Amino acid sequence: MDNLKKDITLISGIGQLSTTLLGTGLFMIPAISAGIAGHFSLWAWIILLIAICPIALTFAQLGKRYPSAGGTAFFVRKAFNSNLESSVAWLFVSVIPVALPAGVTLASGFLNELLPESMNIPLFTQAFVVFLLMLVNLLGTKSSGRLQTVIALSIFALVGAFLWKGDVGPADLTMPAITIDSTWSIATALGVMFWCFVGIEAFAHMGEEFKNPQRDFPIAIIVGCFVAGLTYWACSVVILKFGAYGSAEFDNASIPWLSAYLFGDHAKWLISVIGFSACFASVNLYTQSLARMVWAQAREHKPTSAIARVSVRGVPANATLIVGAILIASCVTGSISGLDLEFFLKLANGIFVLVYLLAMLAAYKLLKGWGKVLAGFSLVLCTAVFICLGWSMLYAVTIFAVLSLPWKQWRKKNTRRVTD
């Protein structure tokens, strides 16, 4: 049976997770949350980072004890049964046509600023982004990890430059006193900020490829979450100081505006490079994790199939190409139909939170001692967030219910009838 190559080190693991968590969020969420809660958003970031810790720690414990490319689906199998595992696996895979195209579109938007005007064709740049995703993924996790570490360092350097050039001092770091009136705005901002930490579940699929998963995987999750949270908080400080929030324009362009204000218009190309890199990094890890989910399912149920094979670089190449093909088809469909990508992102968010919830449920059964306590607290937190999703929660539940139907038994019955 083919196995994945163990190429991920602690440093590359931290780089992969932190860039995934930052992703497109850095260019939108700090400004949006500042528009909701003002300076109280600084408290919201701290509260969120504290709240996400038990979830991150729970995933760390699961990944340490059960490193597998199957991720949450594998955890569910260990806790419950293989039927539920398949449902969770395909639930996660179902985000390919609704979530990844949005990330590709955002990345291509930054790429358009770097390409000649004659090449600024949305579908062309989207296809080019998918091509780059396939190239990076087929080269292996070692190359991908190095790339994402470089991207992470460039993001940190950008935020550091903001702090330096913006002359951020102790007065700017002063936290406002929380009042009763501010609690609602903080809670509302938290609802938006939560999506900045959607990505931990995708990282769980990479556990099998760590050189030392028992030691490095949990450290990578904890440090990656902390680094991403600190970066978001620091970026929010700068945005609040210069008032780069409070309008629809700032919601999507606060970082470019700050760059032009602090460094001049000549910095526009640099922001485009970093923006593209951040979006690319986020989509890249999801491409990796989804390909490994498909591969893990093939390895488990059809180990002799082409999808269950890995390349000489230890990469599930065929599974990766399948994800790429679906991604291209989704981009073409979106381009032709003009479907609202924001709408599909809401659908994807429902699936992500449900995957988190199921992972915490599995952890509550698998872990013992303080790990079980953390899993229980995380389960309550994920359930609360899931309920708050509204109609998109119903979409995720419907998909999961359909996937949980006894399709195999029905197929066997139909086969017997045909044979008889």
Side-chain angles (χ1 to χ4, degrees):
M1 183 181 293
D2 291 339
N3 292 309
L4 298 174
K5 194 172 182 180
K6 296 181 180 294
D7 265 339
I8 302 179
T9 63
L10 176 60
I11 299 300
S12 63
I14 293 172
Q16 287 190 52
L17 181 59
S18 58
T19 49
T20 300
L21 295 181
L22 290 167
T24 58
L26 188 68
F27 293 85
M28 297 183 293
I29 303 302
I32 293 174
S33 59
I36 295 172
H39 282 73
F40 291 106
S41 63
L42 296 179
W43 279 113
W45 284 115
I46 293 176
I47 293 170
L48 177 62
L49 189 56
I50 294 172
I52 209 69
C53 279
I55 297 176
L57 286 168
T58 302
F59 268 110
Q61 290 299 310
L62 287 171
K64 179 180 179 180
R65 287 169 171 75
Y66 310 103
S68 171
T72 298
F74 182 76
F75 305 150
V76 168
R77 178 189 175 189
K78 296 291 291 186
F80 302 106
N81 55 63
S82 58
N83 290 332
L84 193 57
E85 174 202 18
S86 296
S87 299
V88 174
W90 295 115
L91 175 69
F92 186 66
V93 171
S94 70
V95 305
I96 297 176
V98 295
L100 291 189
V104 170
T105 300
L106 290 169
S108 66
F110 284 108
L111 185 60
N112 283 333
E113 299 293 330
L114 303 172
L115 295 175
E117 189 174 347
S118 59
M119 299 176 67
N120 285 347
I121 304 171
L123 192 56
F124 170 79
T125 52
Q126 289 172 25
F128 185 64
V129 171
V130 175
F131 169 76
L132 291 177
L133 284 170
M134 294 298 100
L135 180 62
V136 170
N137 276 269
L138 292 175
L139 286 174
T141 53
K142 187 174 183 178
S143 300
S144 181
R146 287 173 176 171
L147 174 63
Q148 296 206 193
T149 300
V150 171
I151 294 172
L153 292 174
S154 66
I155 293 173
F156 304 150
L158 174 64
V159 176
F162 282 163
L163 294 172
W164 169 69
K165 193 69 174 179
D167 196 25
V168 174
D172 302 308
L173 303 178
T174 303
M175 304 290 286
I178 297 179
T179 62
I180 295 177
D181 294 335
S182 67
T183 53
W184 175 250
S185 62
I186 291 174
T188 305
L190 281 170
V192 175
M193 293 173 173
F194 183 83
W195 309 120
C196 295
F197 288 91
V198 169
I200 302 173
E201 85 296 334
F203 192 66
H205 297 268
M206 311 304 294
E208 191 174 339
E209 294 173 74
F210 270 78
K211 290 184 177 180
N212 189 342
Q214 281 70 32
R215 184 196 67 185
D216 294 343
F217 184 80
I219 297 175
I221 282 189
I222 301 305
V223 175
C225 287
F226 177 78
V227 168
L230 184 61
T231 304
Y232 275 118
W233 187 85
C235 188
S236 295
V237 169
V238 181
I239 286 174
L240 288 166
K241 176 173 181 174
F242 291 96
Y245 63 93
S247 68
E249 181 182 356
F250 277 136
D251 286 350
N252 295 313
S254 59
I255 300 298
W257 183 87
L258 278 173
S259 301
Y261 182 81
L262 295 175
F263 305 109
D265 291 333
H266 60 275
K268 184 178 180 180
W269 69 271
L270 178 62
I271 298 305
S272 296
V273 170
I274 296 177
F276 169 76
S277 300
C279 296
F280 184 86
S282 183
V283 179
N284 182 54
L285 181 60
Y286 270 102
T287 303
Q288 285 182 309
S289 60
L290 287 163
R292 279 147 183 78
M293 175 67 84
V294 173
W295 172 82
Q297 288 300 298
R299 180 180 63 172
E300 178 65 27
H301 301 289
K302 292 186 177 181
T304 59
S305 66
I307 302 175
R309 298 172 189 164
V310 297
S311 68
V312 292
R313 290 180 175 271
V315 176
N318 293 328
T320 300
L321 292 174
I322 288 174
V323 172
I326 297 173
L327 191 49
I328 282 288
S330 299
C331 289
V332 171
T333 302
S335 178
I336 294 174
S337 63
L339 294 173
D340 186 358
L341 290 178
E342 183 179 348
F343 170 79
F344 286 114
L345 274 178
K346 291 179 180 178
L347 302 183
N349 285 337
I351 293 175
F352 286 139
V353 178
L354 181 55
V355 169
Y356 269 64
L357 194 155
L358 292 168
M360 297 305 104
L361 188 63
Y364 186 76
K365 185 173 181 180
L366 292 172
L367 301 179
K368 300 183 184 300
W370 71 274
K372 193 179 189 72
V373 174
L374 278 175
F377 181 76
S378 301
L379 180 60
V380 172
L381 178 64
C382 290
T383 302
V385 173
F386 192 58
I387 293 172
C388 292
L389 290 175
W391 63 266
S392 58
M393 171 191 71
L394 298 177
Y395 170 78
V397 170
T398 302
I399 293 294
F400 185 65
V402 170
L403 290 170
S404 299
L405 292 173
W407 297 106
K408 287 184 178 180
Q409 290 86 332
W410 292 347
R411 280 199 299 268
K412 288 180 180 179
K413 287 182 180 179
N414 290 332
T415 303
R416 289 173 183 173
R417 289 175 183 174
V418 172
T419 304
D420 295 339

